[in-house]
Amino acid sequence: MIVSMNAAVSIWRRLSLFVLVSSLCSCPCRAEDSAMENIVTEKKAEESHRQDSADLLVFILLLTLTILTIWLFKHRRFRFLHETGLAMIYGLLVGVVLRYAIHVPSDMNNVTLSCNVNASPATLLVNVSGKFYEYTLKGEISANDVDDIQDNEMLRKVTFDPEVFFNILLPPIIFHAGYSLKQRHFFRNLGSILAYAFVGTVVSCFIIGLFMYGCVMLMKQIGHMGGDFFFTDCLFFGAIVSATDPVTVLAIFNELQVDADLYALLFGESVLNDAVAVVLSSSIVAYQPEGDNTHTFEAMAMLKSFGIFLGVFSGSFALGVATGVVTAIFSLTPFHVTKFTKLRDFPLLETALFFLMSWSTFLLAEACGFTGVVAVLFCGMTQAHYTFNNLSPESQDRTKQLFELLNFLAENFIFSYMGLTLFTFHNHVFNPIFIVGAFLAVFLGRAVNIYPLSFLLNLGRRNKISSNFQHMMMFAGLRGAMTFALSIRDTATYARQMMFSTTLLVVFFTVWICGGGTTQMLSCQKIRSIGPDGVERRSTKHESAWFFRIWYNFDHNYLKPILTHSGPPLNATLPACCGPLARCLTSPQAYENEEQLKDSDSDLILNDGDITLSYGDVTVSTDAAGAHTSGTPVGGVAVNSDEALDRELAFGDHELVIRGTRLVLPMDDSEPPLPLDSHRHRHKNETMS
């Protein structure tokens, strides 16, 4: 027993000595391996950083080259190719170079292992010699491209996450559309714009979806279909290609000073139908019938999708307007009752707050399950109508220039990336039958949108939408940034990959062919340019529908005095019993602006010897002698809000802007507009006589 115990002790001592020696010998080796591994990791991180910088430099150079070429085109007055089409061409050229001219050597450290799982995990933890490494999912790789994946590292680097487009590039484009909207012409044609945007987009979606479903059935019959493609997929395709983006046409319209109503119809439709297309596509995705087959028709599921459409759109609309109103209130009276200075005394902070509040509207809507595109669009319109009037002059200029710059850069970046993805995207599916069918369906859907709706609208319009206007609107149905962003957001399935590849071709064709032929189409349809020095008078009283009149009066008399420094003081529009409330809600600056005539919605009517300023039912008049009176003007006629609206709509093009006040000059058809100096001279002679 003692011997065995001594032997055990001896063996234990020898084993401990062996373990100690082994550990002492292995520690330097393990430390060396760890140090070498850290060095390799740092080198890879540095190489990846350089590669990312080079990729971003490619896009910066693309934008720089586009801007320089645009300057050359403007200098030469070349209108056959817009800046967006030019950006796409440069993107195509760079994509060809990256695809075929640049070869990245294969990294032999990459290992492909097979693992049978039911679904692809978003995050993968890999155990390598006791160390865990995290890998994220980048997307599906075609079986034919597995062996070549090492050679496509450069192409994978220049492929952006689709959420970058939705959360970073898209908000400034949509906000700028609402913020720069010409409200007078927009509201003057509001009924027609809503019809084209809502009814027309839904009809176009179903026409395209039905036509494409026929093409899909044909492809299945002849064996040209390589995966599943259901009717809901066809409707989704119809929704995303129904979003128009006539940026090329509108830029030429603006440059040539084309008819303001035609511009308003096209611009208003494109702004609103982008929002409708986004909500419509999400409603189609949400279509889920009960049972195993989720692609059969079911009335309850369709009604549920329709309810989702209405709920998401109305919720996004309410959120956008509410954010705009909150910003307007904050910019109006942030520190009225405190000893602190106003925010408008610091234009930089004021502009920064305006920018952040506007951008947060998009993210807030997306986080709440609504649509950020709709929310930020109506937020921009609300900001332009209310908040803009409360900003300091410096902030007004800064916000307009800031969002105009962001819109320009984001839009050209997206179009450059479109050209690039034609060669850098890995999972393109080009099917000739589907492509030809898509082109026919797009033009058929556009025709059904424009011509029947225009016929119905003309039944209630005195100022008809002429046939040449309808042809121009049909021709101007370009597809652009919104269509691309909706199609690239999900490319996981065979059907979505085919949609994305076809959408790229549709965007290329409409931007290059339709956009490039805008000037020729204007000449062919004999749509003349008004020009900067000419005006076109037309009676538009019929466009001032009862709803618009009610809204105009309510907004002018109550909302603007509360949310801005413009408009009449509330004690002039509210009953006498509401005097204390009116004084509480009206800012002190509103009384100052009343004297300075700074209300942007007021109308100056020049009579013989009188200048009459109408604030709803209250009229402030100045006679030839300079006497300032209220009520019924001396030697003039009192003008109520309805008459002021009629005059504003009827003579909206004859206006001169003086210190924020719109000067309306009523004229006859036979009498050309007079310059301001000539009118003053004639008015002075009449007064002296």
Side-chain angles (χ1 to χ4, degrees), residues 361-383:
T361 304
F362 183 92
L363 302 177
L364 179 61
E366 292 289 334
C368 294
F370 297 119
T371 300
V373 171
V374 179
V376 79
L377 170 65
F378 287 100
C379 175
M381 296 174 64
T382 307
Q383 301 273 46

Side-chain angles (χ1 to χ4, degrees), residues 208-229:
I208 295 175
L210 290 171
F211 192 92
M212 294 310 301
Y213 188 66
C215 294
V216 168
M217 291 294 101
L218 176 63
M219 293 163 61
K220 289 182 178 179
Q221 290 293 329
I222 63 178
H224 279 207
M225 183 64 65
D228 293 332
F229 211 114

Side-chain angles (χ1 to χ4, degrees), residues 267-310:
F267 184 73
E269 181 212 359
S270 67
V271 166
L272 289 181
N273 91 329
D274 280 355
V276 174
V278 171
V279 181
L280 189 60
S281 61
S282 62
S283 302
I284 294 173
V285 172
Y287 177 79
Q288 291 292 336
E290 295 181 358
D292 297 333
N293 191 354
T294 59
H295 297 280
T296 58
F297 175 78
E298 186 177 289
M300 289 302 299
M302 187 184 69
L303 291 177
K304 182 180 178 181
S305 295
F306 182 71
I308 292 175
F309 173 83
L310 294 179

Side-chain angles (χ1 to χ4, degrees), residues 602-620:
S602 62
D603 299 299
L604 276 174
I605 311 300
L606 288 181
N607 300 317
D608 293 335
D610 296 291
I611 296 180
T612 302
L613 174 64
S614 174
Y615 277 131
D617 297 330
V618 179
T619 302
V620 180

Side-chain angles (χ1 to χ4, degrees), residues 11 99 235 257 303 359 367 402 456 534 548 657:
I11 293 173
R99 180 81 181 210
L235 285 180
Q257 299 289 322
L303 291 177
W359 202 307
L402 173 63
L456 295 176
F548 178 42
V657 180

Side-chain angles (χ1 to χ4, degrees), residues 44 171 230 334 345 365 430 444 485 564 635:
K44 287 184 177 180
F230 302 101
D345 294 335
F430 293 105
L444 178 62
T564 69

Side-chain angles (χ1 to χ4, degrees), residues 651-666:
F651 306 106
D653 294 326
H654 310 304
E655 62 181 26
L656 300 171
V657 180
I658 303 177
R659 292 181 301 178
T661 302
R662 293 211 292 256
L663 187 64
V664 182
L665 306 178

